[in-house]
Amino acid sequence: MPTHETIEPPDTSLDEPAQAQTPLDGQQSDPALVAEQAHLAESRTALRKMRERTESLEAQGGNPVSTEYLKAALYHRAKALVDDPRTPLFFGRLDYTAGEGPYADTAGTPATAGTAGGSESTRGTVTAHGGEPFYIGRRHVTDAEGNPMVVDWRAPVSRPFYRASRSAPMGVDLRRRFGFSHGDLTAYEDEHLSNPLEAAQESQILEEEIERPRVGPMRDIVATIQPEQDDIVRADLSGTVCVQGAPGTGKTAVGLHRAAYLLYAHRDQLRRQGVLVVGPNDSFLRYIGDVLPTLGEIDARQSTLPELVGRIRIRGEDPAEVATLKGDARMAEVVRRAVWSHLREPSEGLVVPRGARRFRVPGYEAAEILRGIQARGVRYGAGRSILPQRLAHSVLLRMEADGDSPDDRVQDAVARSKPVRAYADVLWPAVGPARLVFRLLSEPAFLAEHANDVLTPDEQERLVWSKAPRTAGSARWSLADAVLIDEVADLVDRTPSLGHVVLDEAQDLSPMQLRAVGRRCSTGSATLLGDLAQATTPWATRDWSEALSHFGKPEAHVEELTKGFRVPADVIEFAARLLPSIAPTLTAPSSVRRTRGDLLVHATPSVAEWTVACVRTALDRPGSVGLVTADSRVGTLRAALDEAGIGYALLGDENDVDARLDVVPASLAKGLEFDHVVLVEPAEIVAAEHDEVTGLRRLYVCLTRPVTSLQIVHDAPLPAALLG
């Protein structure tokens, strides 16, 4: 039964640092800015009243169960209406030209947002150009009469904010962008799209929002979505999209915003079917965890792959070559054969006593029933459920031939009878997924029986445990084992399909892992996000078309994002030196930022001392700091920081604390970003991987984490590929 709880307002004790942007010259006393500030205040008041109305509704379910369901619905609605004063309620405004707005053909319909030019509310009016103004924000806000004060960024009327241009104004006369600090409106910029003679200018507000220092979890990008990103965000639910995105192109944010858009456009369907976000690790999920709630979406579930396939406890880890083999697509055929090998040909007929009579189904007829069910392509478990009914039907035919008139209730009784159940259990025995994989990994003969023409003898020998545990319960299962168990479980009983799945860092999944995630949206759609240049697992994909085939969506459309909005130009150009070695087929990324960032390389025998000095320098600047190093060097650098009295959080530590400085093992750096990065000993990061190419890919990941500055500290020579 649904439950509800008190909704706490957001914690404002830790406000985000002031935005880098400052009020544009002369705007602080501008009457238009004053009017916009008034509209912001009125909109916040309206949002508060919307939430109060929701929370004040008394449950009128009619009975206890309905009342609880209504309370739960109201709770979720109120939670979605929570206003975070640190976040701008709206970030833009569109003024449509006369006759071009969404209500242009509706006589007598009032305009739906305020206009600049006065301190009093101007809802229900039009702009100076005769058109309608719309304030674009993170969620829909209405006044007491239902008039929209802020329009959701996902609404069709909002799309021109991201797509309109002077060459294609989409009916928009004026596009206004707002600058904010601590949730307060500080500035605005106007673009008159209906005037083709007005010179186009770069948006200072847009650039400052993109480059604003990052502190804490990942933020949404609704104010800065670019046209090529918008195409992906608004892609139809019926299709699967694969995004190949270079570092800093916003692919993760695009995937999350697509989930938010689909939840808005297909709310009833996706609420019913579910939306899942799959990330590479818990640290990554914590980092992105606030994005969807900020956009008012609280229905999407987030998970890592181990949680998704966690039918057993994962306690072990395979060597790279074994994990790669277990993740090979050929293993799907091995386990399929092993599952269906449990079927048995009948050695005798079925005899069912009914009163004083006995009815017999010959063995050859039972065999035909068995083959007929299998030919239907049903899951193993479904066939096991069908068999007793089919055997009972044959018994009923004999009862009718004997003069009886049995009905469906008799057939059900026969199907549940002890002789039929016992006979069916022999022909179609139960299969336990964990037990089956245990046999494959512990019994060489059983594995050879099902893998002889699929895997080589050497591969089979590598798969079998050298020292097999006594029971499946005592086995130290690995993630690769759990994926195999999940494959067997799907062969036995179909895995329920969700409406949409967002899979990040998809390039790092093996074929069997891709199958595991793909079956969670077999009748739905997906958004796959990744970068082939950042593939760092031994089993990683090298081609998106192959990966999509394993995922079960070969028809998916692949989009490539190469414009970097976060990584500075100097840094991305330096890291791109590795591309010819790690991903020669990819287009080199470029940075669209005017500031090139800071890149310093320090060669020194005193690595620990220089690292501490670089960290201090980074901490003297605004924003977050990441100290990235090979996993094996984390302990040494932590000791140096402790000795220097510098506080930090260790990424991946469940008991980590809030701190501006994160110590980041290279294995956990993927998907994260920091304003300033201090990277220690690139050669060690490369050497830690099982081969040089994978090591260079790991280094590429680490090099592309900064938003403002990168300092490299090393004693060992830099990798040759990085020297250019």
Side-chain angles (χ1 to χ4, degrees):
M1 182 178 295
T3 60
H4 64 284
E5 56 187 283
T6 302
I7 303 171
E8 297 295 336
D11 181 13
T12 58
S13 61
L14 295 175
D15 280 353
E16 62 185 30
Q19 192 171 332
Q21 160 231 315
T22 57
L24 304 182
D25 292 343
Q27 285 192 358
Q28 199 64 288
S29 58
D30 189 324
L33 186 60
V34 173
E36 301 293 20
Q37 289 171 331
H39 185 79
L40 174 61
E42 290 180 353
S43 298
R44 288 201 182 278
T45 299
L47 180 60
R48 176 177 53 80
K49 290 181 177 179
M50 288 172 66
R51 184 171 165 227
E52 289 173 352
R53 286 197 300 270
T54 298
E55 293 178 330
S56 66
L57 291 175
E58 294 184 1
Q60 300 293 333
N63 60 65
V65 174
S66 298
T67 296
E68 288 302 316
Y69 272 100
L70 183 54
K71 286 180 180 179
L74 293 175
Y75 162 74
H76 281 86
R77 172 61 177 159
K79 190 173 181 181
L81 293 173
V82 170
D83 180 21
D84 185 349
R86 298 167 298 178
T87 304
L89 196 55
F90 56 79
F91 47 82
R93 180 180 133 179
L94 294 175
D95 290 2
Y96 282 88
T97 55
E100 294 288 346
Y103 298 126
D105 297 328
T106 307
T109 303
T112 59
T115 180
S119 59
E120 296 182 0
S121 172
T122 51
R123 295 191 307 276
T125 67
V126 294
T127 67
H129 306 280
E132 301 172 84
F134 291 85
Y135 287 83
I136 313 302
R138 286 165 173 77
R139 63 193 67 188
H140 191 65
V141 180
T142 62
D143 63 14
E145 289 73 39
N147 298 313
M149 300 188 69
V150 180
V151 179
D152 196 298
W153 66 276
R154 298 165 288 188
V157 70
S158 302
R159 190 167 197 189
F161 183 79
Y162 304 106
R163 305 306 305 272
S165 64
R166 283 178 174 79
S167 59
M170 302 176 69
V172 174
D173 175 73
L174 174 75
R175 173 167 53 203
R176 174 169 289 176
R177 298 182 188 275
F178 296 106
F180 284 84
S181 178
H182 293 267
D184 294 328
L185 194 155
T186 59
Y188 71 91
E189 291 176 344
D190 287 344
E191 294 178 83
H192 295 279
L193 302 181
S194 61
N195 183 4
L197 300 180
E198 182 176 308
Q201 295 181 346
E202 295 293 332
S203 169
Q204 178 184 339
I205 287 178
L206 182 62
E207 183 171 342
E208 288 177 347
E209 171 61 22
I210 289 174
E211 298 182 6
R212 181 154 56 102
R214 296 297 206 225
V215 175
M218 182 180 183
R219 299 195 306 261
D220 65 71
I221 61 168
V222 290
T224 61
I225 293 174
Q226 301 299 296
E228 62 271 21
Q229 297 173 325
D230 188 64
D231 284 336
I232 299 170
V233 167
R234 297 177 192 265
D236 190 74
L237 175 63
S238 61
T240 290
V241 179
C242 176
V243 182
Q244 158 61 44
T249 56
K251 58 182 178 293
T252 297
V254 166
L256 294 174
H257 285 66
R258 186 182 182 211
Y261 171 77
L262 294 176
L263 280 164
Y264 171 87
H266 307 275
R267 186 164 305 281
D268 290 341
Q269 177 182 346
L270 291 183
R271 230 180 223 170
R272 195 169 57 248
Q273 296 178 342
V275 173
L276 173 68
V277 178
V278 182
N281 51 59
D282 289 328
S283 296
F284 178 82
L285 290 182
R286 286 195 294 271
Y287 176 63
I288 68 170
D290 287 346
V291 174
L292 288 175
T294 298
L295 299 173
E297 299 299 343
I298 57 176
D299 292 324
R301 182 166 67 95
Q302 297 184 348
S303 176
T304 62
L305 183 63
E307 292 172 348
L308 204 61
V309 299
R311 299 173 185 271
I312 44 86
R313 184 182 176 191
I314 299 173
R315 298 187 298 164
E317 187 173 346
D318 292 313
E321 65 276 8
V322 176
T324 302
L325 182 56
K326 289 179 179 178
D328 194 296
R330 293 174 295 166
M331 290 301 298
E333 174 62 17
V334 174
V335 298
R336 187 196 67 81
R337 293 181 182 182
V339 167
W340 288 99
S341 70
H342 287 75
L343 296 188
R344 296 288 179 264
E345 286 287 322
S347 58
E348 58 184 16
L350 167 66
V351 178
V352 180
R354 294 288 295 177
R357 291 175 295 179
R358 295 161 64 87
F359 298 95
R360 185 175 186 276
V361 179
Y364 72 85
E365 186 174 333
E368 290 176 357
I369 292 173
L370 198 72
R371 287 190 290 270
I373 296 173
Q374 189 177 8
R376 291 171 56 182
V378 299
R379 292 293 201 274
Y380 185 91
R384 178 171 157 79
S385 300
I386 293 170
L387 180 58
Q389 287 288 341
R390 293 297 306 275
L391 292 171
H393 180 68
S394 292
V395 172
L396 257 66
L397 293 178
R398 284 159 174 77
M399 294 173 67
E400 290 174 349
D402 204 32
D404 285 351
S405 300
D407 56 18
D408 290 345
R409 290 175 298 176
V410 175
Q411 179 172 326
D412 289 340
V414 172
R416 293 194 302 268
S417 65
K418 186 175 180 179
V420 172
R421 292 301 314 175
Y423 190 78
D425 284 344
V426 171
L427 302 187
W428 206 304
V431 170
R435 175 59 185 165
L436 178 71
V437 174
F438 179 81
R439 289 191 64 193
L440 285 172
L441 300 179
S442 61
E443 300 178 19
F446 185 69
L447 176 62
E449 179 185 350
H450 307 298
N452 263 346
D453 59 344
V454 179
L455 304 176
T456 66
D458 179 62
E459 288 173 328
Q460 293 177 39
E461 185 178 352
R462 271 187 282 156
L463 276 181
V464 176
W465 286 321
S466 57
K467 184 178 180 181
R470 288 188 173 185
T471 64
S474 63
R476 292 185 62 83
W477 297 108
S478 67
L479 174 59
D481 298 333
V483 171
L484 291 177
I485 293 171
D486 191 75
E487 181 81 19
V488 175
D490 183 66
L491 290 168
V492 175
D493 294 302
R494 182 183 298 276
T495 303
S497 177
L498 299 164
H500 193 78
V501 170
V502 178
L503 172 61
D504 208 349
E505 304 298 346
Q507 79 281 347
D508 276 340
L509 270 61
S510 70
M512 293 300 290
Q513 290 172 341
L514 287 167
R515 288 172 61 90
V517 180
R519 69 176 62 105
R520 265 76 185 179
C521 58
S522 57
T523 60
S525 61
T527 304
L528 281 76
L529 312 166
D531 180 9
L532 297 179
Q534 299 184 59
T536 53
T537 57
W539 47 83
T541 185
R542 301 293 181 260
D543 178 76
W544 283 123
S545 60
E546 180 182 348
L548 289 167
S549 178
H550 294 312
F551 190 77
K553 306 289 184 182
E555 75 292 345
H557 178 61
V558 180
E559 291 277 357
E560 186 172 7
L561 298 177
T562 60
K563 293 181 180 179
F565 301 97
R566 297 294 296 162
V567 184
D570 281 352
V571 174
I572 197 66
E573 290 167 8
F574 182 71
R577 296 177 181 180
L578 300 175
L579 286 179
S581 301
I582 62 176
T585 62
L586 293 183
T587 303
S590 60
S591 177
V592 300
R593 294 169 51 177
R594 285 183 289 185
T595 57
R596 295 190 60 81
D598 300 326
L599 173 62
L600 297 172
V601 180
H602 309 286
T604 173
S606 305
V607 172
E609 291 82 352
W610 269 91
T611 298
V612 170
C614 290
V615 167
R616 289 190 188 279
T617 300
L619 288 171
D620 286 339
R621 305 175 67 178
S624 58
V625 181
L627 173 57
V628 183
T629 186
D631 294 34
S632 59
R633 189 177 279 263
V634 167
T636 301
L637 294 183
R638 290 182 67 187
L641 293 172
D642 290 336
E643 184 178 349
I646 299 176
Y648 61 87
L650 175 62
L651 198 71
D653 184 354
E654 293 182 356
N655 300 315
D656 61 0
V657 296
D658 290 331
R660 280 189 58 211
L661 171 65
D662 281 307
V663 176
V664 185
S667 60
L668 298 180
K670 190 170 296 181
L672 307 178
E673 63 178 26
F674 304 90
D675 288 285
H676 311 284
V677 169
V678 178
L679 191 150
V680 180
E681 288 294 8
E684 284 187 10
I685 294 174
V686 175
E689 303 298 330
H690 69 286
D691 62 61
E692 184 182 13
V693 173
T694 303
L696 290 174
R697 288 193 178 115
R698 180 75 69 186
L699 178 59
Y700 181 75
V701 171
C702 296
L703 288 170
T704 53
R705 298 308 95 198
V707 174
T708 302
S709 72
L710 170 64
Q711 297 186 76
I712 299 174
V713 181
H714 71 100
D715 182 19
L718 294 176
L722 199 57
L723 299 178

